[in-house]
Amino acid sequence: MAGAESRPSQGPADLTGLVRSASAGDERAWSELVGEYGPRVFALARSRLRDPDEAEEVTQSVFATIAIKLRGGQYDEHGRFESWLFRIAMNRVRDAVRRARRERGMASRRAAAQQDDVPASEDRSAPSFGALRDAVAALSPADRDIIELRYHAGLSFRQMADLLAEPLGTLLARHHRALRKLQKAIDSDADAHAADGQVTTPAGELQQ
Amino acid sequence: MNRDGDAHHDLPEEVRPLARRLAAAGLADRTAGAEVADRVVMRTAHLLREQAAALPAQRGLRRLLPWLVAPATVAACALLVVAVLRPGLTAEPEPRGVEVLAANLEHDLETWLELDAEWRRDSFENSLAALALDAASVAARADDPSALPALENGS
């Protein structure tokens, strides 16, 4: 189960044909494209923005842009649809983060982050990942990109190398370092909680 | 060496649980994103429908374009042919034109010869000298504002 869940998505078998059909107005092709990449874009936005409603807005904005550009024949990244899509997604997420910071202020965001940030109505069955999200949020932007593109957007390292225009070896090394930093941050947090009488799992979640 | 399909095999043992936890968090977000994707499809499909509706018109225009351009092309070719083949547009002058030119040149030559002949006459040179003196006198009086009325009267 762990292997299947953690394996990056391979994408549709005939992505080029799908994009071509969607550009021609084939709604079934469009539905398939959004069905494949929509959840991944949402997961990326959700990880960064924390608010599911904002994440949905960003996701819709991304695919509206994609649809308009396909409509207008402005897609010319032949064979690199995924890089193009996630480049747009990352830019939209960054814009949304900047906008949120301006509107709310960093202090109110810290206060919001300390609360339960996964609404019960949305995520009743899944375990809370609040502490893990906090630790990821504390990473540097470059490290955070790697973690979120890898585990939320489901990109392979090769896809990330193409998207970020960085060597594959650099990304692999950065990924390893990011995990170690995360682990260290979680361990420090666990020590702090232990001092307060609370217990955390090795992966950083508080045990009830 | 990490391969794209193997997320955790090459990771150090101490971070593998963390990697699995991150993967689980990502999967939870993507699962929630499935419903979002359905809504996004409903809200964005019309953007492609507008393009699909516009396409036949664009295709029609593209098919029409050669037919619009062709007559202009044909006309341009015809003009070129006519310009090349039409008699009279050669570098050689018409015979009548040469006659007229020769006549003009002959007239000018005669005029110059007459003038030249005039120079041989003393009276011609004297007349020219008198005219020059008169012109200088008029110029000098023109500089004198009090002389203007006399000049205007022709004196």
Side-chain angles (χ1 to χ4, degrees), chain A residues 41-190:
Chain A
V41 170
F42 174 79
L44 177 68
R46 174 78 170 83
S47 175
R48 189 62 63 101
L49 293 168
R50 308 296 287 271
D51 181 348
D53 292 332
E54 280 190 69
E56 180 163 345
E57 272 183 39
V58 167
T59 305
Q60 182 171 315
S61 166
V62 168
F63 283 97
T65 298
I66 298 290
I68 289 169
K69 287 189 180 289
L70 289 179
R71 172 188 73 179
Q74 296 171 48
Y75 170 63
D76 56 0
E77 308 258 346
H78 301 292
R80 299 176 62 191
F81 176 79
E82 287 172 330
S83 297
W84 178 59
L85 167 71
F86 282 104
R87 196 177 311 126
I88 293 173
M90 286 182 72
N91 287 336
R92 289 296 158 82
V93 167
R94 286 189 188 121
D95 289 344
V97 167
R98 277 195 289 266
R99 190 167 53 244
R101 278 188 192 145
R102 277 199 306 271
E103 288 170 2
R104 299 178 209 164
M106 289 302 292
S108 58
R109 283 184 65 79
R110 271 190 231 108
Q114 287 167 5
Q115 296 168 5
D116 184 6
D117 54 354
V118 178
S121 60
E122 182 204 319
D123 200 7
R124 288 199 183 93
S125 57
S128 169
F129 296 106
L132 188 59
R133 293 188 197 278
D134 289 344
V136 170
L139 290 173
S140 69
D143 289 344
R144 191 172 182 180
D145 282 348
I146 293 283
I147 295 297
E148 288 173 340
L149 287 171
R150 178 71 175 162
Y151 296 101
H152 292 267
L155 292 182
S156 68
F157 285 108
R158 287 195 191 281
Q159 288 169 330
M160 280 194 278
D162 186 43
L163 170 65
L164 300 173
E166 294 212 43
L168 184 60
T170 303
L171 294 181
L172 287 168
R174 192 181 297 161
H175 172 252
H176 280 55
R177 278 199 308 271
L179 286 178
R180 287 189 188 282
K181 284 183 199 172
L182 265 179
Q183 188 65 67
K184 195 175 172 184
I186 287 167
D187 290 343
S188 301
D189 203 42

Side-chain angles (χ1 to χ4, degrees), chain B residues 122-141:
Chain B
D122 291 338
S123 61
F124 179 72
E125 188 173 336
N126 293 335
S127 299
L128 278 180
L131 279 171
L133 285 169
D134 284 343
S137 170
V138 169
R141 285 162 72 183

Side-chain angles (χ1 to χ4, degrees), chain B residues 2 7 17 19 21 36-37 40 42 44 55 58 62 66 69 72-74 79 84 89 102 119 124 134 154:
Chain B
N2 182 42
R21 190 70 180 162
V36 171
V40 168
M42 284 191 299
T44 57
L55 269 177
Q58 285 179 353
R62 279 195 213 111
V69 169
T73 309
V74 167
L79 281 172
V84 169
L89 286 181
W119 278 103
F124 179 72
D134 284 343

